[in-house]
């Protein structure tokens, strides 16, 4: 799940599809206009040379002047018509996007932090709410309503295969609607400069069929299992007695802090550090040992771990699936 | 002036502008060396679990933290994250003593505040040893000092975007002047009678 295309030219849902249609209309019409303008420009440059080196007569013949006037008038009229056409097309696309928002939706609350995404699946029953980080799972074909908020600075949610950009502004709740019509993994990223690690703030959208999605959600609702072996137990002690517990939450333990990402199902995700590294044991070890070397300035500090502790901690984190 | 002289001067000015644009206002140390941090912070235990004279003040000022706006700003963030506001509010105190006044039970030198956070204190201050990594404790130390007006104005963290519960750290309110000599008791002195904030 570290791959995933990130392209607005490959829509995976109706919203991105409408936007892409508008994009092609603008691009093709403007390309034709541009080619016409360049052709006329080249003709104007070239004509002087054809007429020889003598300067053109500043008093052109009346017939040529009338013809030129008609041509310019026609071009201006055509420009106005094209611009009005763009306006109408843009308005119609907006209406299509708005129409797509109507109806029953599932609501997800996405909170942007510097520099990771907190994802919370809402539910009328509080015990069925799922909190995860950096990986958004969606069922195919369902309309999703995402409430966007931010805890610090302005970020922007951008998954080009599914929709355009929408800012997450502290103090304001924005909304975006998504619908993915084919299963797959798509990559998105933060699209508003938000600080030193803005470039390493990606998220992955995993779209799967309804059964797979419900299984995933049910698994995410489970608390972390009791560790079986001694090494894993020691790892849990390292986690709970060290700095980890000041920022991270593992459901099923006493760790309940919400400043950092929820780690209850850490190893079920495809990437760590908001898409910066693939989620493997080795990368996790490198991340824990020195997060500042990989993502300098991010909010996870260097922690002094004895070598044996790191081994135990990794064994414990391995059980968080 | 001659054409050549003008070109030389303009070229030099351009190069100077480009060079100056590369100057940083201050160093931002994202990875303080853990081994180097180990030796810092004279952990001075006051002896006995009672509030008494402050720990002996140390001469170290730790300017890499207390004169660095980035570290003070990080301390401001951590003050919220680690729930120091739960007892100290935004410096005004509550269950815990105020931090924005000039009364320091255990001293206001950076090493004293470091010891307070790391060891805990009687009557409710928890010990954060091994829970908060040392460089982050120093960031909190720098921020606590800024709340009491003990850091330079240009080093103060950014103002809040939301409502400020206290004067901004950059403000020049007379309440936030550094304490006069004698307000912080030297070791062996009787603690001063409480007179409230100036």
């Amino acid at each position: 799940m570290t791959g995933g295309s990130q392209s607005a030219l490959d829509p995976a849902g109706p919203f991105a599809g409408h936007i892409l249609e508008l994009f092609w209309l603008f691009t093709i019409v403007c390309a034709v206009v541009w080619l016409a303008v360049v052709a006329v420009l080249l003709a104007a440059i070239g004509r002087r040379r054809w007429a020889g080196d003598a300067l053109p007569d500043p008093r052109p013949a009346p017939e040529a002047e009338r013809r030129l006037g008609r041509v310019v008038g026609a071009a201006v009229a055509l420009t106005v018509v094209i611009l009005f056409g763009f306006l109408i097309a843009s308005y119609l696309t907006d209406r299509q996007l708005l129409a797509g928002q109507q109806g029953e939706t599932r609501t997800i609350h996405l909170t942007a932090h510097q520099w990771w995404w907190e994802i919370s699946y809402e539910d009328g029953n509080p015990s069925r709410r799922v909190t995860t980080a950096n990986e958004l799972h969606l069922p195919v074909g369902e309309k999703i309503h995402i409430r966007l908020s931010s805890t610090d600075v302005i970020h922007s949610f951008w998954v080009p295969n599914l929709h355009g950009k929408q800012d997450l502004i502290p103090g304001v709740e924005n909304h975006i609607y998504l619908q993915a019509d084919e299963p797959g993994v798509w990559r998105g990223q933060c699209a508003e400069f938000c600080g030193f690690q803005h470039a390493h703030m990606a998220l992955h959208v995993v779209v799967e069929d309804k059964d797979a999605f419900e299984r995933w959600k049910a698994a995410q609702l489970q608390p972390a299992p009791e560790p079986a072996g001694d090494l894993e137990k020691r790892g849990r002690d390292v986690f709970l007695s060290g700095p980890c517990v000041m920022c991270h939450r593992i459901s099923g333990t006493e760790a309940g802090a919400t400043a950092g990402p929820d780690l209850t199902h850490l190893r079920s995700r495809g990437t760590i550090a908001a898409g910066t590294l693939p989620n493997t044991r080795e990368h996790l070890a490198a991340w824990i040992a020195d997060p500042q070397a990989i993502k300098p300035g991010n909010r996870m500090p260097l922690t002094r771990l004895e070598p044996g502790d790191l081994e135990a901690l990794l064994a414990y984190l391995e059980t968080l699936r | 002036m001659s054409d050549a002289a003008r070109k030389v001067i303009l070229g030099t000015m351009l190069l100077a502008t480009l060079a100056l644009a590369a100057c940083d206002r201050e160093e931002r140390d994202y990875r303080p060396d853990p081994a180097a941090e180990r030796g810092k912070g004279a952990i001075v235990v006051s002896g006995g679990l009672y509030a008494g004279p402050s720990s002996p003040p140390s001469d170290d000022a730790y300017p890499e933290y207390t004169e660095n706006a980035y570290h003070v700003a990080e301390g401001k963030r951590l003050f919220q994250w680690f729930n120091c506001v739960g007892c100290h509010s935004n410096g005004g105190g509550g269950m815990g003593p105020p931090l924005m006044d000039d009364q320091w039970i255990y001293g206001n030198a950076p090493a004293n505040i470091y010891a307070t956070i790391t060891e805990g204190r009687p009557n409710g201050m928890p010990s954060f040893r091994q829970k908060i990594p040392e460089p982050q404790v120093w960031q909190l130390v720098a921020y606590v000092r800024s709340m009491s007006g003990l850091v330079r104005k240009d080093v103060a963290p950014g103002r809040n975007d939301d409502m400020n519960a206290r004067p901004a750290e950059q403000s020049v309110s007379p309440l936030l002047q550094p304490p006069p000599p004698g307000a912080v008791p030297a070791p062996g002195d009787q603690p001063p009678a409480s007179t409230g904030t100036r």
Side-chain angles (χ1 to χ4, degrees):
Chain A
M1 269 189 267
T2 57
S5 98
Q6 181 180 340
S7 169
L9 300 178
D10 179 23
F15 296 103
H18 297 318
I19 294 173
L20 187 63
E21 283 164 9
L22 190 67
F23 167 79
W24 282 130
L25 175 70
F26 269 68
T27 303
I28 290 170
V29 170
C30 290
V32 167
V33 167
W34 178 76
L35 285 171
V37 167
V38 166
V40 169
L41 178 67
L42 290 175
I45 294 171
R47 186 146 46 104
R48 183 177 175 281
R49 204 166 301 148
W50 296 335
D53 288 325
L55 288 170
D57 185 352
R59 295 166 297 129
E63 178 51 43
E65 203 173 311
R66 269 199 294 277
R67 196 170 55 234
L68 189 62
R70 278 197 289 273
V71 168
V72 170
V76 168
L78 187 62
T79 303
V80 170
V81 165
I82 289 176
L83 289 176
F84 262 105
F86 281 168
L87 186 68
I88 293 168
S90 178
Y91 167 70
L92 290 176
T93 304
D94 254 346
R95 279 190 52 152
Q96 282 176 318
L97 292 176
L98 202 58
Q101 295 174 6
Q102 310 304 318
E104 276 285 311
T105 57
R106 176 193 298 271
T107 308
I108 296 174
H109 190 184
L110 193 77
T111 308
H113 302 252
Q114 278 176 321
W115 289 274
W116 60 283
W117 305 90
E118 178 186 343
I119 296 159
S120 171
Y121 289 76
E122 299 190 358
D123 199 293
N125 182 348
S127 65
R128 295 196 61 78
R129 288 185 186 153
V130 170
T131 304
T132 181
N134 300 323
E135 198 169 274
L136 185 61
H137 281 242
L138 301 177
V140 171
E142 245 190 66
K143 225 179 297 241
I144 314 288
H145 169 204
I146 303 188
R147 291 172 36 219
L148 302 168
S149 56
S150 165
T151 54
D152 34 41
V153 296
I154 300 181
H155 302 266
S156 187
F157 175 79
W158 186 47
V159 184
N161 294 80
L162 293 177
H163 209 313
K165 298 176 183 174
Q166 181 65 282
D167 278 4
L168 294 88
I169 302 170
V172 171
E173 188 171 89
N174 275 340
H175 305 268
I176 193 171
Y177 289 78
L178 298 184
Q179 183 176 329
D181 285 340
E182 42 188 273
V185 179
W186 286 281
R187 187 179 183 272
Q189 65 187 73
C190 177
E192 181 67 40
F193 181 68
C194 53
F196 204 48
Q197 289 300 335
H198 159 73
H200 289 139
M201 190 173 161
L203 84 157
H204 287 86
V205 180
V206 178
V207 181
E208 43 203 2
D209 64 66
K210 187 114 180 40
D211 293 329
F213 172 76
E214 291 299 334
R215 277 199 303 274
W216 172 84
K217 191 151 178 269
Q220 293 285 313
L221 281 168
Q222 300 305 314
E226 180 71 20
D230 285 333
L231 191 64
E232 286 85 356
K233 284 196 168 78
R234 182 171 157 213
R236 186 177 59 176
D237 290 338
V238 169
F239 186 92
L240 293 176
S241 64
C244 320
V245 78
M246 296 293 284
C247 294
H248 289 293
R249 174 173 175 261
I250 295 184
S251 175
T253 68
E254 298 100 45
T258 53
D262 189 310
L263 299 182
T264 314
H265 299 279
L266 171 66
R267 297 293 275 121
S268 75
R269 305 204 266 262
T271 63
I272 55 174
T276 311
L277 296 173
N279 191 349
T280 68
R281 192 173 181 276
E282 294 72 31
H283 285 106
L284 200 53
W287 174 253
I288 295 171
D290 196 347
Q292 294 297 321
I294 295 167
K295 202 168 165 183
N298 92 85
R299 306 298 190 205
M300 177 154 159
L302 246 75
T303 52
R304 253 193 296 137
L305 281 176
E306 312 303 318
D309 281 351
L310 181 60
E311 190 73 29
L313 185 61
L314 287 170
Y316 175 60
L317 294 177
E318 205 58 38
T319 70
L320 301 176
R321 294 197 172 269
Chain B
M1 63 183 77
S2 77
D3 206 26
R6 198 181 299 129
K7 278 196 188 125
V8 166
I9 288 174
L10 280 176
T12 314
M13 278 168 57
L14 182 65
L15 277 174
T17 311
L18 289 173
L20 284 170
C23 286
D24 289 330
R25 181 170 165 261
E26 61 178 15
E27 280 288 317
R28 284 192 175 189
D29 193 2
Y30 297 126
R31 299 179 66 242
D33 182 5
E37 300 298 322
R38 207 174 298 199
K40 281 193 182 163
I43 311 293
V44 183
V45 184
S46 304
L49 292 172
Y50 50 86
S54 59
S55 310
S58 78
D59 291 330
D60 295 332
Y62 300 97
E64 63 269 33
Y65 287 99
T66 56
E67 288 181 13
N68 187 296
Y70 171 70
H71 286 307
V72 179
E74 286 292 287
K76 182 171 182 166
R77 172 179 66 82
L78 296 172
F79 198 81
Q80 193 77 31
W81 275 27
F82 295 151
N83 200 28
C84 313
V85 295
C87 291
H88 293 287
S89 297
N90 285 303
M95 286 195 291
L99 299 177
M100 64 181 184
D101 60 356
D102 58 358
Q103 309 282 319
W104 298 86
I105 305 173
Y106 300 102
N108 70 354
N112 297 146
I113 304 176
Y114 180 92
T116 298
I117 296 174
T118 320
E119 298 166 27
R121 296 296 185 196
N123 294 330
M125 175 68 188
S127 160
F128 288 97
R129 182 179 286 119
Q130 288 179 353
K131 286 289 192 297
I132 303 182
E134 279 145 32
Q136 297 200 313
V137 177
W138 288 110
Q139 289 174 342
L140 282 163
V141 165
Y143 177 61
V144 166
R145 283 176 61 85
S146 87
M147 276 200 281
S148 187
L150 295 171
V151 301
R152 291 198 326 253
K153 199 169 146 212
D154 66 323
V155 161
R159 284 201 314 266
N160 293 357
D161 286 332
D162 50 0
M163 200 166 71
N164 227 353
R166 54 169 154 67
E169 293 88 351
Q170 303 93 331
S171 96
V172 285
S173 161
L175 289 172
L176 296 177
Q177 295 305 309
V184 179
D189 288 354
Q190 297 298 318
S194 174
T195 53
T197 54
R198 277 186 293 117

